[in-house]
PDB file of all heavy atoms in Angstrom:
ATOM      1  N   TYR Q   1     100.260  83.260 -86.049  1.00 85.00           N
ATOM      2  CA  TYR Q   1      99.889  81.865 -85.805  1.00 85.00           C
ATOM      3  C   TYR Q   1      98.798  81.446 -86.787  1.00 85.00           C
ATOM      4  O   TYR Q   1      97.745  82.075 -86.870  1.00 85.00           O
ATOM      5  CB  TYR Q   1      99.411  81.707 -84.361  1.00 85.00           C
ATOM      6  CG  TYR Q   1      98.908  80.341 -83.999  1.00 85.00           C
ATOM      7  CD1 TYR Q   1      99.614  79.190 -84.337  1.00 85.00           C
ATOM      8  CD2 TYR Q   1      97.730  80.181 -83.285  1.00 85.00           C
ATOM      9  CE1 TYR Q   1      99.156  77.925 -83.983  1.00 85.00           C
ATOM     10  CE2 TYR Q   1      97.262  78.928 -82.927  1.00 85.00           C
ATOM     11  CZ  TYR Q   1      97.980  77.813 -83.290  1.00 85.00           C
ATOM     12  OH  TYR Q   1      97.506  76.571 -82.943  1.00 85.00           O
ATOM     13  N   ASP Q   2      99.042  80.389 -87.520  1.00 79.00           N
ATOM     14  CA  ASP Q   2      98.071  79.870 -88.480  1.00 79.00           C
ATOM     15  C   ASP Q   2      97.128  78.912 -87.743  1.00 79.00           C
ATOM     16  O   ASP Q   2      97.225  77.695 -87.878  1.00 79.00           O
ATOM     17  CB  ASP Q   2      98.804  79.170 -89.631  1.00 79.00           C
ATOM     18  CG  ASP Q   2      97.868  78.784 -90.758  1.00 79.00           C
ATOM     19  OD1 ASP Q   2      96.770  79.364 -90.849  1.00 79.00           O
ATOM     20  OD2 ASP Q   2      98.235  77.884 -91.536  1.00 79.00           O
ATOM     21  N   ALA Q   3      96.250  79.481 -86.971  1.00 75.00           N
ATOM     22  CA  ALA Q   3      95.336  78.686 -86.145  1.00 75.00           C
ATOM     23  C   ALA Q   3      94.318  77.958 -87.017  1.00 75.00           C
ATOM     24  O   ALA Q   3      93.923  78.473 -88.069  1.00 75.00           O
ATOM     25  CB  ALA Q   3      94.609  79.589 -85.152  1.00 75.00           C
ATOM     26  N   PRO Q   4      93.884  76.765 -86.596  1.00 70.00           N
ATOM     27  CA  PRO Q   4      92.849  76.055 -87.345  1.00 70.00           C
ATOM     28  C   PRO Q   4      91.597  76.931 -87.480  1.00 70.00           C
ATOM     29  O   PRO Q   4      91.152  77.520 -86.502  1.00 70.00           O
ATOM     30  CB  PRO Q   4      92.555  74.831 -86.488  1.00 70.00           C
ATOM     31  CG  PRO Q   4      93.747  74.675 -85.605  1.00 70.00           C
ATOM     32  CD  PRO Q   4      94.308  76.053 -85.398  1.00 70.00           C
ATOM     33  N   GLY Q   5      91.088  77.056 -88.694  1.00 65.00           N
ATOM     34  CA  GLY Q   5      89.870  77.830 -88.912  1.00 65.00           C
ATOM     35  C   GLY Q   5      90.072  79.327 -88.999  1.00 65.00           C
ATOM     36  O   GLY Q   5      89.107  80.080 -88.992  1.00 65.00           O
ATOM     37  N   SER Q   6      91.328  79.782 -89.069  1.00 71.00           N
ATOM     38  CA  SER Q   6      91.557  81.227 -89.129  1.00 71.00           C
ATOM     39  C   SER Q   6      91.608  81.742 -90.564  1.00 71.00           C
ATOM     40  O   SER Q   6      91.784  82.933 -90.792  1.00 71.00           O
ATOM     41  CB  SER Q   6      92.853  81.601 -88.399  1.00 71.00           C
ATOM     42  OG  SER Q   6      93.979  81.039 -89.047  1.00 71.00           O
ATOM     43  N   SER Q   7      91.402  80.866 -91.532  1.00 65.00           N
ATOM     44  CA  SER Q   7      91.452  81.277 -92.938  1.00 65.00           C
ATOM     45  C   SER Q   7      90.143  81.955 -93.346  1.00 65.00           C
ATOM     46  O   SER Q   7      89.124  81.868 -92.665  1.00 65.00           O
ATOM     47  CB  SER Q   7      91.725  80.068 -93.823  1.00 65.00           C
ATOM     48  OG  SER Q   7      90.688  79.125 -93.674  1.00 65.00           O
ATOM     49  N   VAL Q   8      90.193  82.604 -94.479  1.00 64.00           N
ATOM     50  CA  VAL Q   8      89.072  83.382 -94.996  1.00 64.00           C
ATOM     51  C   VAL Q   8      87.780  82.585 -95.124  1.00 64.00           C
ATOM     52  O   VAL Q   8      86.703  83.120 -94.921  1.00 64.00           O
ATOM     53  CB  VAL Q   8      89.482  83.981 -96.367  1.00 64.00           C
ATOM     54  CG1 VAL Q   8      88.300  84.380 -97.204  1.00 64.00           C
ATOM     55  CG2 VAL Q   8      90.401  85.160 -96.151  1.00 64.00           C
ATOM     56  N   GLU Q   9      87.880  81.302 -95.442  1.00 69.00           N
ATOM     57  CA  GLU Q   9      86.672  80.510 -95.665  1.00 69.00           C
ATOM     58  C   GLU Q   9      85.797  80.390 -94.429  1.00 69.00           C
ATOM     59  O   GLU Q   9      84.602  80.179 -94.526  1.00 69.00           O
ATOM     60  CB  GLU Q   9      87.030  79.094 -96.143  1.00 69.00           C
ATOM     61  CG  GLU Q   9      87.726  79.051 -97.471  1.00 69.00           C
ATOM     62  CD  GLU Q   9      89.230  79.268 -97.345  1.00 69.00           C
ATOM     63  OE1 GLU Q   9      89.784  79.150 -96.237  1.00 69.00           O
ATOM     64  OE2 GLU Q   9      89.840  79.578 -98.373  1.00 69.00           O
ATOM     65  N   ARG Q  10      86.379  80.514 -93.262  1.00 76.00           N
ATOM     66  CA  ARG Q  10      85.631  80.251 -92.037  1.00 76.00           C
ATOM     67  C   ARG Q  10      85.645  81.404 -91.052  1.00 76.00           C
ATOM     68  O   ARG Q  10      84.749  81.538 -90.229  1.00 76.00           O
ATOM     69  CB  ARG Q  10      86.234  79.011 -91.374  1.00 76.00           C
ATOM     70  CG  ARG Q  10      85.234  78.333 -90.516  1.00 76.00           C
ATOM     71  CD  ARG Q  10      85.565  76.920 -90.201  1.00 76.00           C
ATOM     72  NE  ARG Q  10      84.813  76.621 -89.000  1.00 76.00           N
ATOM     73  CZ  ARG Q  10      85.271  75.984 -87.969  1.00 76.00           C
ATOM     74  NH1 ARG Q  10      86.474  75.495 -87.987  1.00 76.00           N
ATOM     75  NH2 ARG Q  10      84.520  75.795 -86.928  1.00 76.00           N
ATOM     76  N   ALA Q  11      86.663  82.256 -91.113  1.00 90.00           N
ATOM     77  CA  ALA Q  11      86.837  83.320 -90.120  1.00 90.00           C
ATOM     78  C   ALA Q  11      86.242  84.637 -90.604  1.00 90.00           C
ATOM     79  O   ALA Q  11      86.443  85.037 -91.747  1.00 90.00           O
ATOM     80  CB  ALA Q  11      88.320  83.492 -89.808  1.00 90.00           C
ATOM     81  N   HIS Q  12      85.520  85.298 -89.713  1.00 93.00           N
ATOM     82  CA  HIS Q  12      84.954  86.618 -89.969  1.00 93.00           C
ATOM     83  C   HIS Q  12      85.532  87.555 -88.920  1.00 93.00           C
ATOM     84  O   HIS Q  12      85.283  87.373 -87.717  1.00 93.00           O
ATOM     85  CB  HIS Q  12      83.427  86.577 -89.882  1.00 93.00           C
ATOM     86  CG  HIS Q  12      82.819  85.687 -90.918  1.00 93.00           C
ATOM     87  ND1 HIS Q  12      82.318  86.159 -92.101  1.00 93.00           N
ATOM     88  CD2 HIS Q  12      82.685  84.333 -90.955  1.00 93.00           C
ATOM     89  CE1 HIS Q  12      81.878  85.147 -92.829  1.00 93.00           C
ATOM     90  NE2 HIS Q  12      82.100  84.028 -92.156  1.00 93.00           N
ATOM     91  N   LEU Q  13      86.328  88.522 -89.370  1.00 95.00           N
ATOM     92  CA  LEU Q  13      86.989  89.425 -88.438  1.00 95.00           C
ATOM     93  C   LEU Q  13      85.961  90.215 -87.630  1.00 95.00           C
ATOM     94  O   LEU Q  13      84.989  90.742 -88.186  1.00 95.00           O
ATOM     95  CB  LEU Q  13      87.918  90.383 -89.184  1.00 95.00           C
ATOM     96  CG  LEU Q  13      89.096  89.739 -89.908  1.00 95.00           C
ATOM     97  CD1 LEU Q  13      89.864  90.793 -90.707  1.00 95.00           C
ATOM     98  CD2 LEU Q  13      90.014  89.029 -88.921  1.00 95.00           C
ATOM     99  N   LEU Q  14      86.185  90.294 -86.324  1.00 98.00           N
ATOM    100  CA  LEU Q  14      85.233  90.972 -85.444  1.00 98.00           C
ATOM    101  C   LEU Q  14      85.054  92.435 -85.842  1.00 98.00           C
ATOM    102  O   LEU Q  14      83.927  92.939 -85.820  1.00 98.00           O
ATOM    103  CB  LEU Q  14      85.673  90.849 -83.981  1.00 98.00           C
ATOM    104  CG  LEU Q  14      84.756  91.517 -82.952  1.00 98.00           C
ATOM    105  CD1 LEU Q  14      83.321  91.005 -83.051  1.00 98.00           C
ATOM    106  CD2 LEU Q  14      85.309  91.313 -81.547  1.00 98.00           C
ATOM    107  N   ALA Q  15      86.116  93.124 -86.215  1.00 97.00           N
ATOM    108  CA  ALA Q  15      85.990  94.528 -86.622  1.00 97.00           C
ATOM    109  C   ALA Q  15      85.071  94.652 -87.842  1.00 97.00           C
ATOM    110  O   ALA Q  15      84.264  95.592 -87.932  1.00 97.00           O
ATOM    111  CB  ALA Q  15      87.363  95.123 -86.915  1.00 97.00           C
ATOM    112  N   ASP Q  16      85.160  93.710 -88.780  1.00 97.00           N
ATOM    113  CA  ASP Q  16      84.284  93.723 -89.957  1.00 97.00           C
ATOM    114  C   ASP Q  16      82.834  93.416 -89.570  1.00 97.00           C
ATOM    115  O   ASP Q  16      81.901  94.024 -90.105  1.00 97.00           O
ATOM    116  CB  ASP Q  16      84.748  92.698 -90.993  1.00 97.00           C
ATOM    117  CG  ASP Q  16      86.067  93.076 -91.654  1.00 97.00           C
ATOM    118  OD1 ASP Q  16      86.503  94.237 -91.530  1.00 97.00           O
ATOM    119  OD2 ASP Q  16      86.668  92.184 -92.289  1.00 97.00           O
ATOM    120  N   VAL Q  17      82.655  92.485 -88.648  1.00 97.00           N
ATOM    121  CA  VAL Q  17      81.303  92.147 -88.177  1.00 97.00           C
ATOM    122  C   VAL Q  17      80.659  93.386 -87.556  1.00 97.00           C
ATOM    123  O   VAL Q  17      79.496  93.715 -87.847  1.00 97.00           O
ATOM    124  CB  VAL Q  17      81.347  90.973 -87.175  1.00 97.00           C
ATOM    125  CG1 VAL Q  17      79.993  90.766 -86.511  1.00 97.00           C
ATOM    126  CG2 VAL Q  17      81.806  89.697 -87.871  1.00 97.00           C
ATOM    127  N   ILE Q  18      81.405  94.097 -86.731  1.00 98.00           N
ATOM    128  CA  ILE Q  18      80.894  95.320 -86.096  1.00 98.00           C
ATOM    129  C   ILE Q  18      80.516  96.346 -87.166  1.00 98.00           C
ATOM    130  O   ILE Q  18      79.423  96.929 -87.124  1.00 98.00           O
ATOM    131  CB  ILE Q  18      81.940  95.883 -85.105  1.00 98.00           C
ATOM    132  CG1 ILE Q  18      82.038  94.956 -83.884  1.00 98.00           C
ATOM    133  CG2 ILE Q  18      81.584  97.312 -84.688  1.00 98.00           C
ATOM    134  CD1 ILE Q  18      83.209  95.256 -82.957  1.00 98.00           C
ATOM    135  N   ASP Q  19      81.394  96.570 -88.141  1.00 98.00           N
ATOM    136  CA  ASP Q  19      81.098  97.535 -89.208  1.00 98.00           C
ATOM    137  C   ASP Q  19      79.868  97.121 -90.009  1.00 98.00           C
ATOM    138  O   ASP Q  19      79.014  97.962 -90.327  1.00 98.00           O
ATOM    139  CB  ASP Q  19      82.293  97.674 -90.156  1.00 98.00           C
ATOM    140  CG  ASP Q  19      83.445  98.463 -89.550  1.00 98.00           C
ATOM    141  OD1 ASP Q  19      83.250  99.111 -88.499  1.00 98.00           O
ATOM    142  OD2 ASP Q  19      84.540  98.417 -90.134  1.00 98.00           O
ATOM    143  N   ASN Q  20      79.755  95.839 -90.344  1.00 97.00           N
ATOM    144  CA  ASN Q  20      78.608  95.362 -91.122  1.00 97.00           C
ATOM    145  C   ASN Q  20      77.295  95.568 -90.374  1.00 97.00           C
ATOM    146  O   ASN Q  20      76.297  95.996 -90.955  1.00 97.00           O
ATOM    147  CB  ASN Q  20      78.782  93.887 -91.481  1.00 97.00           C
ATOM    148  CG  ASN Q  20      79.881  93.665 -92.498  1.00 97.00           C
ATOM    149  OD1 ASN Q  20      80.226  94.564 -93.269  1.00 97.00           O
ATOM    150  ND2 ASN Q  20      80.453  92.473 -92.485  1.00 97.00           N
ATOM    151  N   LEU Q  21      77.288  95.277 -89.074  1.00 98.00           N
ATOM    152  CA  LEU Q  21      76.071  95.447 -88.281  1.00 98.00           C
ATOM    153  C   LEU Q  21      75.742  96.920 -88.060  1.00 98.00           C
ATOM    154  O   LEU Q  21      74.568  97.288 -87.960  1.00 98.00           O
ATOM    155  CB  LEU Q  21      76.195  94.722 -86.942  1.00 98.00           C
ATOM    156  CG  LEU Q  21      76.209  93.199 -87.030  1.00 98.00           C
ATOM    157  CD1 LEU Q  21      76.530  92.592 -85.669  1.00 98.00           C
ATOM    158  CD2 LEU Q  21      74.887  92.672 -87.567  1.00 98.00           C
ATOM    159  N   ALA Q  22      76.757  97.770 -87.986  1.00 98.00           N
ATOM    160  CA  ALA Q  22      76.523  99.209 -87.837  1.00 98.00           C
ATOM    161  C   ALA Q  22      75.864  99.775 -89.101  1.00 98.00           C
ATOM    162  O   ALA Q  22      75.051 100.697 -89.025  1.00 98.00           O
ATOM    163  CB  ALA Q  22      77.836  99.931 -87.539  1.00 98.00           C
ATOM    164  N   MET Q  23      76.188  99.201 -90.266  1.00 98.00           N
ATOM    165  CA  MET Q  23      75.589  99.644 -91.539  1.00 98.00           C
ATOM    166  C   MET Q  23      74.197  99.063 -91.748  1.00 98.00           C
ATOM    167  O   MET Q  23      73.324  99.706 -92.307  1.00 98.00           O
ATOM    168  CB  MET Q  23      76.477  99.230 -92.715  1.00 98.00           C
ATOM    169  CG  MET Q  23      77.711 100.070 -92.872  1.00 98.00           C
ATOM    170  SD  MET Q  23      78.594  99.690 -94.392  1.00 98.00           S
ATOM    171  CE  MET Q  23      79.131  98.011 -94.104  1.00 98.00           C
ATOM    172  N   ASP Q  24      74.007  97.804 -91.301  1.00 98.00           N
ATOM    173  CA  ASP Q  24      72.748  97.096 -91.542  1.00 98.00           C
ATOM    174  C   ASP Q  24      72.509  96.136 -90.386  1.00 98.00           C
ATOM    175  O   ASP Q  24      73.213  95.126 -90.249  1.00 98.00           O
ATOM    176  CB  ASP Q  24      72.829  96.336 -92.871  1.00 98.00           C
ATOM    177  CG  ASP Q  24      71.559  95.564 -93.204  1.00 98.00           C
ATOM    178  OD1 ASP Q  24      70.645  95.472 -92.351  1.00 98.00           O
ATOM    179  OD2 ASP Q  24      71.490  95.043 -94.321  1.00 98.00           O
ATOM    180  N   SER Q  25      71.517  96.441 -89.575  1.00 97.00           N
ATOM    181  CA  SER Q  25      71.253  95.666 -88.362  1.00 97.00           C
ATOM    182  C   SER Q  25      71.029  94.182 -88.616  1.00 97.00           C
ATOM    183  O   SER Q  25      71.344  93.345 -87.781  1.00 97.00           O
ATOM    184  CB  SER Q  25      70.044  96.241 -87.631  1.00 97.00           C
ATOM    185  OG  SER Q  25      69.755  95.490 -86.474  1.00 97.00           O
ATOM    186  N   THR Q  26      70.491  93.854 -89.775  1.00 96.00           N
ATOM    187  CA  THR Q  26      70.175  92.450 -90.066  1.00 96.00           C
ATOM    188  C   THR Q  26      71.111  91.859 -91.121  1.00 96.00           C
ATOM    189  O   THR Q  26      70.759  90.885 -91.801  1.00 96.00           O
ATOM    190  CB  THR Q  26      68.708  92.298 -90.510  1.00 96.00           C
ATOM    191  OG1 THR Q  26      68.495  93.109 -91.676  1.00 96.00           O
ATOM    192  CG2 THR Q  26      67.743  92.717 -89.401  1.00 96.00           C
ATOM    193  N   PHE Q  27      72.292  92.409 -91.240  1.00 97.00           N
ATOM    194  CA  PHE Q  27      73.264  91.986 -92.244  1.00 97.00           C
ATOM    195  C   PHE Q  27      73.447  90.473 -92.267  1.00 97.00           C
ATOM    196  O   PHE Q  27      73.394  89.853 -93.315  1.00 97.00           O
ATOM    197  CB  PHE Q  27      74.610  92.677 -91.970  1.00 97.00           C
ATOM    198  CG  PHE Q  27      75.669  92.378 -92.992  1.00 97.00           C
ATOM    199  CD1 PHE Q  27      75.793  93.162 -94.126  1.00 97.00           C
ATOM    200  CD2 PHE Q  27      76.563  91.334 -92.816  1.00 97.00           C
ATOM    201  CE1 PHE Q  27      76.773  92.904 -95.077  1.00 97.00           C
ATOM    202  CE2 PHE Q  27      77.551  91.056 -93.760  1.00 97.00           C
ATOM    203  CZ  PHE Q  27      77.645  91.852 -94.889  1.00 97.00           C
ATOM    204  N   TYR Q  28      73.644  89.860 -91.089  1.00 95.00           N
ATOM    205  CA  TYR Q  28      73.966  88.424 -91.043  1.00 95.00           C
ATOM    206  C   TYR Q  28      72.740  87.519 -91.141  1.00 95.00           C
ATOM    207  O   TYR Q  28      72.884  86.310 -91.313  1.00 95.00           O
ATOM    208  CB  TYR Q  28      74.826  88.101 -89.820  1.00 95.00           C
ATOM    209  CG  TYR Q  28      76.198  88.701 -90.002  1.00 95.00           C
ATOM    210  CD1 TYR Q  28      76.561  89.881 -89.379  1.00 95.00           C
ATOM    211  CD2 TYR Q  28      77.115  88.122 -90.871  1.00 95.00           C
ATOM    212  CE1 TYR Q  28      77.810  90.452 -89.591  1.00 95.00           C
ATOM    213  CE2 TYR Q  28      78.360  88.684 -91.101  1.00 95.00           C
ATOM    214  CZ  TYR Q  28      78.699  89.847 -90.460  1.00 95.00           C
ATOM    215  OH  TYR Q  28      79.919  90.413 -90.696  1.00 95.00           O
ATOM    216  N   GLN Q  29      71.552  88.093 -91.069  1.00 93.00           N
ATOM    217  CA  GLN Q  29      70.360  87.293 -91.349  1.00 93.00           C
ATOM    218  C   GLN Q  29      70.117  87.214 -92.858  1.00 93.00           C
ATOM    219  O   GLN Q  29      69.528  86.256 -93.347  1.00 93.00           O
ATOM    220  CB  GLN Q  29      69.113  87.898 -90.682  1.00 93.00           C
ATOM    221  CG  GLN Q  29      68.998  87.586 -89.205  1.00 93.00           C
ATOM    222  CD  GLN Q  29      69.894  88.484 -88.368  1.00 93.00           C
ATOM    223  OE1 GLN Q  29      69.893  89.688 -88.520  1.00 93.00           O
ATOM    224  NE2 GLN Q  29      70.662  87.901 -87.475  1.00 93.00           N
ATOM    225  N   LYS Q  30      70.588  88.219 -93.612  1.00 94.00           N
ATOM    226  CA  LYS Q  30      70.315  88.311 -95.048  1.00 94.00           C
ATOM    227  C   LYS Q  30      71.459  87.823 -95.923  1.00 94.00           C
ATOM    228  O   LYS Q  30      71.215  87.366 -97.034  1.00 94.00           O
ATOM    229  CB  LYS Q  30      70.016  89.767 -95.420  1.00 94.00           C
ATOM    230  CG  LYS Q  30      68.792  90.326 -94.744  1.00 94.00           C
ATOM    231  CD  LYS Q  30      68.450  91.717 -95.229  1.00 94.00           C
ATOM    232  CE  LYS Q  30      69.355  92.748 -94.658  1.00 94.00           C
ATOM    233  NZ  LYS Q  30      68.909  94.123 -94.866  1.00 94.00           N
ATOM    234  N   ARG Q  31      72.662  87.924 -95.441  1.00 88.00           N
ATOM    235  CA  ARG Q  31      73.829  87.653 -96.285  1.00 88.00           C
ATOM    236  C   ARG Q  31      74.050  86.158 -96.483  1.00 88.00           C
ATOM    237  O   ARG Q  31      73.909  85.371 -95.551  1.00 88.00           O
ATOM    238  CB  ARG Q  31      75.080  88.241 -95.632  1.00 88.00           C
ATOM    239  CG  ARG Q  31      76.294  88.154 -96.537  1.00 88.00           C
ATOM    240  CD  ARG Q  31      77.485  88.836 -95.883  1.00 88.00           C
ATOM    241  NE  ARG Q  31      78.617  88.937 -96.772  1.00 88.00           N
ATOM    242  CZ  ARG Q  31      79.425  87.916 -97.076  1.00 88.00           C
ATOM    243  NH1 ARG Q  31      79.211  86.730 -96.575  1.00 88.00           N
ATOM    244  NH2 ARG Q  31      80.439  88.096 -97.888  1.00 88.00           N
ATOM    245  N   ALA Q  32      74.408  85.787 -97.703  1.00 86.00           N
ATOM    246  CA  ALA Q  32      74.823  84.405 -97.963  1.00 86.00           C
ATOM    247  C   ALA Q  32      76.222  84.235 -97.367  1.00 86.00           C
ATOM    248  O   ALA Q  32      77.106  85.059 -97.599  1.00 86.00           O
ATOM    249  CB  ALA Q  32      74.857  84.131 -99.459  1.00 86.00           C
ATOM    250  N   LEU Q  33      76.398  83.216 -96.557  1.00 84.00           N
ATOM    251  CA  LEU Q  33      77.691  82.948 -95.933  1.00 84.00           C
ATOM    252  C   LEU Q  33      78.198  81.589 -96.411  1.00 84.00           C
ATOM    253  O   LEU Q  33      77.562  80.570 -96.171  1.00 84.00           O
ATOM    254  CB  LEU Q  33      77.567  82.937 -94.401  1.00 84.00           C
ATOM    255  CG  LEU Q  33      77.170  84.261 -93.753  1.00 84.00           C
ATOM    256  CD1 LEU Q  33      76.859  84.059 -92.275  1.00 84.00           C
ATOM    257  CD2 LEU Q  33      78.277  85.294 -93.927  1.00 84.00           C
ATOM    258  N   THR Q  34      79.318  81.603 -97.096  1.00 77.00           N
ATOM    259  CA  THR Q  34      79.903  80.340 -97.531  1.00 77.00           C
ATOM    260  C   THR Q  34      80.820  79.811 -96.443  1.00 77.00           C
ATOM    261  O   THR Q  34      81.378  80.579 -95.657  1.00 77.00           O
ATOM    262  CB  THR Q  34      80.698  80.518 -98.840  1.00 77.00           C
ATOM    263  OG1 THR Q  34      81.708  81.505 -98.629  1.00 77.00           O
ATOM    264  CG2 THR Q  34      79.800  80.953 -99.977  1.00 77.00           C
ATOM    265  N   PHE Q  35      80.952  78.498 -96.377  1.00 73.00           N
ATOM    266  CA  PHE Q  35      81.815  77.883 -95.377  1.00 73.00           C
ATOM    267  C   PHE Q  35      82.209  76.500 -95.862  1.00 73.00           C
ATOM    268  O   PHE Q  35      81.467  75.856 -96.598  1.00 73.00           O
ATOM    269  CB  PHE Q  35      81.132  77.809 -94.003  1.00 73.00           C
ATOM    270  CG  PHE Q  35      79.789  77.137 -94.014  1.00 73.00           C
ATOM    271  CD1 PHE Q  35      79.679  75.771 -93.796  1.00 73.00           C
ATOM    272  CD2 PHE Q  35      78.637  77.871 -94.239  1.00 73.00           C
ATOM    273  CE1 PHE Q  35      78.449  75.152 -93.812  1.00 73.00           C
ATOM    274  CE2 PHE Q  35      77.392  77.253 -94.262  1.00 73.00           C
ATOM    275  CZ  PHE Q  35      77.297  75.892 -94.042  1.00 73.00           C
ATOM    276  N   PRO Q  36      83.394  76.051 -95.461  1.00 68.00           N
ATOM    277  CA  PRO Q  36      83.845  74.718 -95.869  1.00 68.00           C
ATOM    278  C   PRO Q  36      83.243  73.633 -94.984  1.00 68.00           C
ATOM    279  O   PRO Q  36      82.962  73.858 -93.809  1.00 68.00           O
ATOM    280  CB  PRO Q  36      85.365  74.790 -95.678  1.00 68.00           C
ATOM    281  CG  PRO Q  36      85.536  75.769 -94.555  1.00 68.00           C
ATOM    282  CD  PRO Q  36      84.418  76.769 -94.698  1.00 68.00           C
ATOM    283  N   LEU Q  37      83.056  72.471 -95.561  1.00 70.00           N
ATOM    284  CA  LEU Q  37      82.610  71.291 -94.816  1.00 70.00           C
ATOM    285  C   LEU Q  37      83.473  70.104 -95.229  1.00 70.00           C
ATOM    286  O   LEU Q  37      83.784  69.943 -96.404  1.00 70.00           O
ATOM    287  CB  LEU Q  37      81.145  70.962 -95.135  1.00 70.00           C
ATOM    288  CG  LEU Q  37      80.080  71.845 -94.530  1.00 70.00           C
ATOM    289  CD1 LEU Q  37      78.720  71.472 -95.091  1.00 70.00           C
ATOM    290  CD2 LEU Q  37      80.077  71.712 -93.017  1.00 70.00           C
TER     291      LEU Q  37
END
């Protein structure tokens, strides 16, 4: 299903989020996150 907002520009896979936080607790406070507007 091609759900609205499921594309790479906006969606962050939960499994990847878990892996990123396991490697670096503050990953999402430091990382530049691009998004469409």
Side-chain angles (χ1 to χ4, degrees):
Y1 176 47
D2 188 20
S6 65
S7 61
V8 160
E9 296 84 16
R10 205 161 158 224
H12 297 263
L13 296 175
L14 180 56
D16 291 346
V17 171
I18 290 169
D19 286 347
N20 290 336
L21 291 172
M23 285 188 294
D24 180 352
S25 179
T26 59
F27 183 89
Y28 291 101
Q29 281 79 49
K30 298 185 284 192
R31 187 176 188 284
L33 296 171
T34 58
F35 54 91
L37 285 173

